[in-house]
Amino acid sequence: MSFTIAIDGPAAAGKGTISKAVAAHFGLAHLDTGLLYRVVGARMLEGMDPVAAARDIRAEDLERDDLRSPGVAQAASKVAVIAQVREHLLDFQRSFARRSGGAVLDGRDIGTVICPEAQVKIFVTASPECRAARRCKELQDQGLAVEYDAVLEDVKARDARDSDRATAPLRPAEDAVLLDTSALDIDTAVARAVAIVTAARG
Ligand code: CDP
């Protein structure tokens, strides 16, 4: 039987770092599903039809090195409201989740839509101000000239778009464990997530 861990939450809540660390701890494969939407967003910025971009997506597209920019993040959340885009990306995510060694998927709708049968579901959250501060530092560390206020606006705009959309809106699954990382450093947040998975595995 495959073992799937679903980790969802809003932008910059820490789910990427937590998911990577949890996958490494338990020896599972990891898919950052946000990258799929980022690829489609980047293609749209290049002039491609987003539905066609989602239909033709390939694993190697996730290696593009321009996917982390704020412009691509905004474009990703715009294409993510298109039901046909989400539909085309479904098979890719489900077949990854069912791989024999087990997998961790992080995103917005993993526990609710992509893998409602996941054995463990964690909803990672933090205040918008905390998330903006973290994302700001992350982008500045990458050499991008960004300002806190603009990053906070970006985080809030994406939160609203992700939560209000009709298809697969951002919300915790009923059986998800909530993990608020506002007051936690990353090592503590990872330790909490590992403890949640360990408890669920029995
Ligand atoms: O890293 P960050 O949390 O800022 O963003 P991301 O996880 O890379 O996702 C970028 C955008 O893709 C999000 O704002 C969502 O609109 C969309 N997304 C989604 O709709 N469903 C997912 N499973 C993952 C991402």
Side-chain angles (χ1 to χ4, degrees):
M1 195 183 78
S2 60
F3 184 75
T4 309
I5 301 175
I7 302 187
D8 290 302
K15 43 178 207 315
T17 311
I18 291 172
S19 303
K20 249 183 245 141
V22 165
H25 184 94
F26 292 99
L28 306 169
H30 170 229
L31 177 65
D32 170 357
T33 65
L35 288 179
L36 300 170
Y37 295 89
R38 285 173 181 262
V39 166
V40 176
R43 285 270 157 84
M44 181 184 73
L45 294 176
E46 290 163 359
M48 191 168 176
D49 170 47
V51 175
R55 190 190 57 220
D56 298 338
I57 201 150
R58 285 182 302 257
E60 56 266 33
D61 296 331
L62 307 183
E63 308 297 326
R64 280 176 67 144
D65 59 9
D66 60 347
L67 298 178
R68 291 281 164 209
S69 74
V72 169
Q74 283 290 345
S77 81
K78 287 180 186 159
V79 301
V81 306
I82 306 170
Q84 272 177 293
V85 164
R86 306 197 72 86
E87 225 164 89
H88 283 308
L89 298 179
L90 202 82
D91 287 347
F92 188 104
Q93 296 173 83
R94 287 203 176 142
S95 46
F96 192 96
R98 291 190 185 130
R99 57 175 53 208
S100 56
V104 180
L105 280 80
D106 77 87
R108 301 289 190 286
D109 62 341
I110 309 303
T112 50
V113 175
I114 306 294
C115 305
E117 75 292 353
Q119 285 83 349
V120 188
K121 298 179 188 178
I122 304 176
F123 193 86
V124 184
T125 186
S127 71
E129 290 73 19
C130 265
R131 294 187 281 121
R134 288 179 194 158
R135 181 52 49 93
C136 202
K137 181 170 182 310
E138 208 174 283
L139 294 169
Q140 284 168 348
D141 288 349
Q142 286 168 26
L144 289 167
V146 289
E147 285 184 9
Y148 172 80
D149 288 346
V151 175
L152 180 61
E153 281 317 302
D154 172 278
V155 159
K156 286 182 174 169
R158 282 204 289 140
D159 281 358
R161 215 161 20 232
D162 291 348
S163 305
D164 295 345
R165 68 182 175 224
T167 312
L170 170 67
R171 60 174 177 79
E174 274 175 20
D175 50 349
V177 179
L178 292 188
L179 178 57
D180 187 329
T181 66
S182 302
L184 305 180
D185 64 27
I186 195 61
D187 291 342
T188 313
V190 167
R192 295 265 171 95
V194 166
I196 292 167
V197 176
T198 305
R201 274 188 139 186

